[in-house]
Amino acid sequence: MTKLVRDLMHPGLLTCRPDVALGQVAVMLTHHHVHALIVADRDDGRPLGIISDYDLLAGEWLSVDRESLATMRKLTASDLMSHPIDTVEASMPLTEAAHILLEKDINRLLVTENGKPVGVISVSDFVSSIAKEEKPQRDTVADVMSDAILVCRGKTPLTSAARTMTQAGWRSVLVVDAKGKPQGVVSGKDLIPFVENGVNEKLTVRDVMHPALTIDIHASLREAAELMIQKHHHRLVVIDDSDPEAFPLGIISSFDIVAEMARTGSIWQT
C-alpha cells in the first residue's frame, strides 16, 4: 500500500508572528526542540514563510561589530524567513515528497489538505520512519554516506567557523585534533544562543562544541536512523570500528537517508 504524506507528517503548526525578534525566535526553537517555525499573519494566521535555525545562521548576526549587532537586534522573523513556502498535499505519496525535498535542497514542506494548512513534513520525519520500519534494511552506512567532511581545529574562532559553514552550505563542522581524531561537532543549533547577544571574539569552536556521534561504516541504515532519532542529531561521523583512532571516513546525514528512500529500487518505491 502506497504511503502518503499524511501518514508521516506532524499535524498542526508551530508558529510565530512576523514581528517577533530573532532572539525570541531562537528561544522558541530551543524550547520546542525544533529546527523551524512557520511565520504566520498575526490577524488571520495565514502562513507567510518559514524561519529556521539555518536562516539565523546565514545572517550576519555573529559579527562582533557593534553596528552589525545593533542591526541584527532590530531584525524580525519576517526579515529572515524563507518565502513563499513550499507545500504538498496530504494525499501525495511519500516518495514524491522525498523527491521534492532533495530536488529543492530544503528540509521541510508545509502540508495542506484542500488548500488548508494541516501540518509539516520534514527530513527528520523521514528519518524517524526508517527507524520504525520493521523490514530489514538491505543497505549500510557505507552505501549512502558522504565522503566529504567540513573540519576545523579546536582553536578556530567561532565566527570563522560560522562563516565557513554558511559559505559551504553545511549545517555543522567537525572539530578534530592535530592527528585528525574527532573532538566534537559544532552545529547551527549550538550557535543559536548567540543570536540575541552576539559572540565574544575570543570564543573558539572548542568552547561550544558538543560530542561527536560516531557510527561504524558497516552499520545498517536503520541503526543510523535510530541513533539520529535517539540523540536528536541530523548527522553522524562515520568511522571504522576496527580502527577508531583513524581519520573519519565520512558523514552520514538525514538527507543521505532521504536520498536512499527516493532511489529507484528502494523499499519505499515499491
Side-chain angles (χ1 to χ4, degrees):
M1 182 176 179
T2 301
K3 292 187 177 181
L4 307 177
V5 168
R6 66 164 54 92
D7 299 322
L8 198 61
M9 72 176 194
H10 269 81
L13 304 177
L14 282 174
T15 67
C16 70
R17 298 193 312 271
D19 58 352
V20 169
L22 297 186
Q24 185 58 32
V25 171
V27 170
M28 295 176 70
L29 290 173
T30 302
H31 176 73
H32 292 290
H33 299 286
V34 295
H35 291 275
L37 299 170
I38 300 295
V39 181
D41 187 277
R42 61 183 304 164
D43 295 322
D44 59 16
R46 176 172 48 89
L48 303 174
I50 291 180
I51 186 165
S52 70
D53 53 359
Y54 194 68
D55 292 321
L56 297 181
L57 176 62
E60 290 299 324
W61 46 263
L62 277 178
S63 175
V64 295
D65 177 80
R66 288 187 178 181
E67 184 177 349
S68 297
L69 182 57
T71 300
M72 179 278 296
R73 286 174 173 165
K74 296 178 181 178
L75 295 178
T76 64
S78 63
D79 294 317
L80 287 188
M81 70 181 185
S82 299
H83 62 92
I85 306 177
D86 290 289
T87 65
V88 293
E89 273 290 308
S91 58
M92 175 183 286
L94 277 176
T95 51
E96 292 184 27
H99 277 297
I100 293 174
L101 289 172
L102 292 170
E103 290 174 359
K104 296 194 173 185
D105 191 22
I106 54 179
N107 289 295
R108 57 197 57 80
L109 295 161
L110 179 66
V111 181
T112 59
E113 194 152 25
N114 297 322
K116 181 181 179 181
V118 294
V120 173
I121 187 166
S122 69
V123 170
S124 296
D125 295 321
F126 283 91
V127 175
S128 178
S129 68
I130 285 189
K132 296 176 182 177
E133 175 61 45
E134 295 181 357
K135 295 181 181 179
Q137 299 300 304
R138 296 173 294 175
D139 299 299
T140 65
V141 166
D143 297 316
V144 302
M145 73 179 193
S146 301
D147 294 315
I149 310 175
L150 186 63
V151 301
C152 71
R153 296 284 295 279
K155 63 182 180 181
T156 301
L158 194 57
T159 51
S160 296
R163 291 193 180 96
T164 300
M165 290 164 62
T166 301
Q167 293 166 359
W170 286 56
R171 298 173 66 90
S172 67
V173 58
L174 177 66
V175 183
V176 299
D177 63 15
K179 296 183 178 180
K181 182 178 179 181
Q183 301 295 296
V185 173
V186 174
S187 69
K189 199 166 186 179
D190 295 317
L191 301 177
I192 285 180
F194 299 101
V195 170
E196 186 169 8
N197 297 315
V199 59
N200 188 308
E201 60 181 350
K202 295 182 179 179
L203 279 179
T204 66
V205 293
R206 186 184 290 113
D207 297 318
V208 302
M209 69 183 186
H210 61 267
L213 279 180
T214 61
I215 192 164
D216 182 60
I217 191 172
H218 304 296
S220 69
L221 288 184
R222 180 175 181 178
E223 290 175 283
E226 287 177 339
L227 185 56
M228 288 182 188
I229 294 303
Q230 291 169 4
K231 301 297 183 179
H232 302 288
H233 280 232
H234 280 268
R235 58 194 57 77
L236 306 171
V237 179
V238 182
I239 64 172
D240 186 342
D241 279 348
S242 65
D243 189 12
E245 299 299 314
F247 190 82
L249 302 174
I251 294 284
I252 183 168
S253 70
S254 50
F255 259 119
D256 295 324
I257 293 179
V258 171
E260 168 58 23
M261 295 175 67
R263 177 182 60 83
T264 301
S266 164
I267 61 172
W268 287 87
Q269 297 284 358
T270 58

